Amino acid sequence: MAALTPDERAILGHSFLFRGIEGLDALLAGRGTRRHFAPGEAIFGRDSHPQAIGILLSGSAVVMGLDGVLLNRLAAGSLFGVASIFSGGADYVQDVIAEREAEILFLSEAELDALFQRCYPVCRNYIAFLAGRIRFLNDKIDRFTAPDTESRLLGYLRARATGDPPILEARSITELARVLHIGRASLYRALDTLEAQGALVRQGRRILLTADRPEPPDG
């Protein structure tokens, strides 16, 4: 791999994998493969992907789920592809597509294994990341198995909204209904109910979360 630029060294140093690690140039010497991707080019696909993790050194990318639903946007320093290694599976679960011109550093399973053996803090950072992902996924399961449509919707909005106050920019009601696996009519009713309860305010496609919805009593 070519030597890291100062910007790339700073980006890697702020990524979860290499946080707190010194001497990145020496640690990564002879490891990793760089690739450049044009806007719209597939980086990872369900059926075709390297057996490696990817770290975004520059540019941006989007993560797409089933039916083309936007799941996430990745900026410099983001890491993806964890599900493609150490699992024995041939398929990946999402599509990662370059949004702007992107420079990616790929680290194969074998290269990661060597890094873990050489530098335990890298291994610990990786384990901490996986533990965080388990908590995140358990939380998502709780939200998507909520007992009613309003609770599922509010859980999703809380998880995705950003800012203070938290705001979600919904691309369309159709997409939101598809993500939550509910009908458009049910989604509209749930939005109306939550707005009437004061839990949110709709401003076109912007959804502003204003307060926690009161929890129903046990039993």
Side-chain angles (χ1 to χ4, degrees), residues 19-35:
R19 189 172 295 124
I21 307 299
E22 297 182 358
L24 283 179
D25 290 275
L27 186 63
L28 292 173
R31 296 189 177 97
T33 302
R34 289 173 180 267
R35 280 198 58 193

Side-chain angles (χ1 to χ4, degrees), residues 27 45 51 60 64 82 92 97 117 137 140 151 153 160 168 172 189 191 217:
L27 186 63
Q51 208 75 7
S60 64
M64 310 299 291
V82 171
Y92 191 59
I97 300 169
Q117 294 183 53
L137 293 172
K140 288 195 72 172
S151 296
L153 172 60
R160 302 296 295 179
L168 179 74
S172 72
R189 285 195 296 270
L191 286 168

Side-chain angles (χ1 to χ4, degrees), residues 54-111:
I55 305 176
L56 196 58
L57 294 177
S58 65
S60 64
V62 291
V63 182
M64 310 299 291
L66 293 173
D67 301 322
V69 175
L70 175 66
L71 299 179
N72 199 7
R73 277 194 166 85
L74 306 177
S78 297
L79 188 149
F80 55 89
V82 171
S84 71
I85 56 174
F86 301 124
S87 64
D91 297 330
Y92 191 59
V93 294
Q94 297 161 344
D95 293 311
V96 181
I97 300 169
E99 184 177 39
R100 293 183 293 158
E101 289 197 17
E103 190 81 11
I104 309 294
L105 171 64
F106 290 105
L107 290 168
S108 70
E109 182 175 309
E111 288 170 328

Side-chain angles (χ1 to χ4, degrees), residues 1-4 9 12-13 15-33 53 55 105-108 110-126:
M1 186 186 77
L4 298 170
R9 196 177 299 113
L12 289 175
S15 69
F16 84 83
L17 189 61
F18 296 112
R19 189 172 295 124
I21 307 299
E22 297 182 358
L24 283 179
D25 290 275
L27 186 63
L28 292 173
R31 296 189 177 97
T33 302
I53 61 168
I55 305 176
L105 171 64
F106 290 105
L107 290 168
S108 70
E111 288 170 328
L112 271 179
D113 190 53
L115 284 174
F116 294 162
Q117 294 183 53
R118 178 175 177 182
C119 183
Y120 173 71
V122 174
C123 182
R124 190 181 187 284
N125 286 347
Y126 188 80

